[in-house]
Amino acid sequence: MPKQPHELLFGSFITPSADKIEQVVALTRLSEQAGLDLVTFQDHPYQPRLLDSWTLISYLAAATSRITLAPNVMNLPMRQPVVIARSVATLDLLTGGRVELALGAGGFWDAIEAIGGRRLTPGESVDALGEAITIIREIWDAGARGGVRMDGTQYRVAGAKRGPAPAHDVGIWVGAYRPRILRLVGRVADGWLPSLSYIEGGLAGLAKANRYVDEGAEAAGRDPASVRRLLNIGDHFTPGGSGALSGPPTQWAEQLAEITLEHGISGYILAGDDPIAIQRFGEEVAPEVRELVRKSGT
């Protein structure tokens, strides 16, 4: 295996329950205390049982001091790209560079349409995602001359002023599963962020999905290794187990190190609201995975 071009990241994926606000805040702070790099939240603006993810992230940015925050993933059809760009850049500046952007092309179209969003076909949603990424990057390119213009099939921007630029080079990660959007990830995104449970074939299907990302990168003249690969994973540690991502923390660490070395995954985000699991993931699993990968020489 070639040397891993990205540092390993470990994070949590906390449910933004509107009726459990104290728990959400406590688990975020626990994620930071446990040494995790990242805390993330789903984004479903049509779902009243969930807190608005961007408002929540902004609040939690002030309630923490080190950990990076990100949506997982932001619902693009409900949020205008220029506003996304400026919101992310603003919070990144306010936090000293502690924000990343994960985007989704959309789903649950009945719910999106019910609250005023546009219903898009699968192809249209992929086109919209590609155009949005271009617009967002152009807005962040505050030093370029002239306004941002896009006369796309899904978005039109007619001379929007640039800026502000974020405090650091914010990554744009995409949640994706189908071949066309996976190739788009390879062409234009900084990272791929799927949930393992949604990948057809699970770990066995990961290599196939990875190849679509590689194909997109190569077609665009990019080094496929430059596209970070992250993975949302489950949250249950058990005394023993023989399946994938089962058993005690030591067994998890061995399995995650193997996935890193075999598939190039460089980010693992633990889904769930179990404080013991979050703490063990940060304090036991993450350091051991890093050490195992370091010893491999990649």
Side-chain angles (χ1 to χ4, degrees), residues 6-11 38 40 72 100-102 171-176 190-196 199 206 210 227-233 259 263-269:
H6 306 283
E7 292 185 7
L8 286 170
L9 293 177
F10 295 87
L38 182 68
T40 70
N72 190 354
E100 302 294 350
L101 176 60
I172 300 179
W173 308 333
V174 173
D190 299 304
W192 174 42
L193 176 56
S195 294
L196 179 59
I199 295 175
L206 185 58
N210 249 329
V227 183
R228 181 188 279 278
R229 321 296 164 103
L230 306 101
L231 200 59
N232 293 319
I233 56 178
I259 294 169
H263 298 289
I265 304 298
S266 62
Y268 296 99
I269 302 175

Side-chain angles (χ1 to χ4, degrees), residues 186-212:
R187 289 198 306 274
V188 303
D190 299 304
W192 174 42
L193 176 56
S195 294
L196 179 59
S197 60
Y198 290 170
I199 295 175
E200 186 175 351
L203 284 175
L206 185 58
K208 182 178 181 181
N210 249 329
R211 284 196 293 272
Y212 289 125

Side-chain angles (χ1 to χ4, degrees), residues 15-170:
T15 308
S17 301
D19 61 351
K20 297 180 181 178
I21 293 174
E22 291 183 0
Q23 174 181 286
V24 175
V25 176
L27 291 176
T28 299
R29 288 174 168 153
L30 176 63
S31 298
E32 182 169 72
Q33 292 162 7
L36 292 175
D37 306 292
L38 182 68
V39 59
T40 70
F41 306 90
Q42 60 187 286
D43 178 44
H44 297 287
Y46 39 75
Q47 179 52 265
R49 67 181 180 82
L50 301 178
L51 297 165
D52 175 73
S53 65
W54 193 250
T55 305
L56 175 64
I57 287 170
S58 300
Y59 175 86
L60 292 172
T64 54
S65 60
R66 179 196 57 80
I67 201 163
T68 293
L69 303 102
N72 190 354
V73 291
M74 182 176 283
N75 193 308
L76 174 62
M78 303 305 305
R79 301 179 187 272
Q80 209 274 346
V82 172
V83 176
I84 290 174
R86 292 192 172 134
S87 298
V88 171
T90 297
L91 192 57
D92 199 54
L93 289 164
L94 290 169
T95 60
R98 290 196 291 129
V99 177
E100 302 294 350
L101 176 60
L103 285 174
F108 306 102
W109 294 105
D110 288 345
I112 289 172
E113 192 172 45
I115 64 170
R118 283 192 306 147
R119 180 184 292 271
L120 301 178
T121 68
E124 288 171 340
S125 69
V126 175
D127 291 341
L129 178 64
E131 292 174 10
I133 291 174
T134 298
I135 292 167
I136 290 166
R137 288 217 176 97
E138 288 290 316
I139 292 293
W140 288 345
D141 189 7
R145 298 185 63 181
V148 176
R149 298 185 179 276
M150 164 71 71
D151 190 13
T153 60
Q154 301 302 320
Y155 292 111
R156 182 173 183 272
V157 180
K161 295 186 182 298
R162 299 174 184 270
H168 85 295
D169 188 10
V170 173

Side-chain angles (χ1 to χ4, degrees), residues 242-265:
S242 57
L245 296 182
S246 63
T250 296
Q251 187 168 319
W252 270 61
E254 292 171 354
Q255 293 175 335
L256 293 180
E258 183 177 344
I259 294 169
T260 294
L261 298 174
E262 183 175 348
H263 298 289
I265 304 298

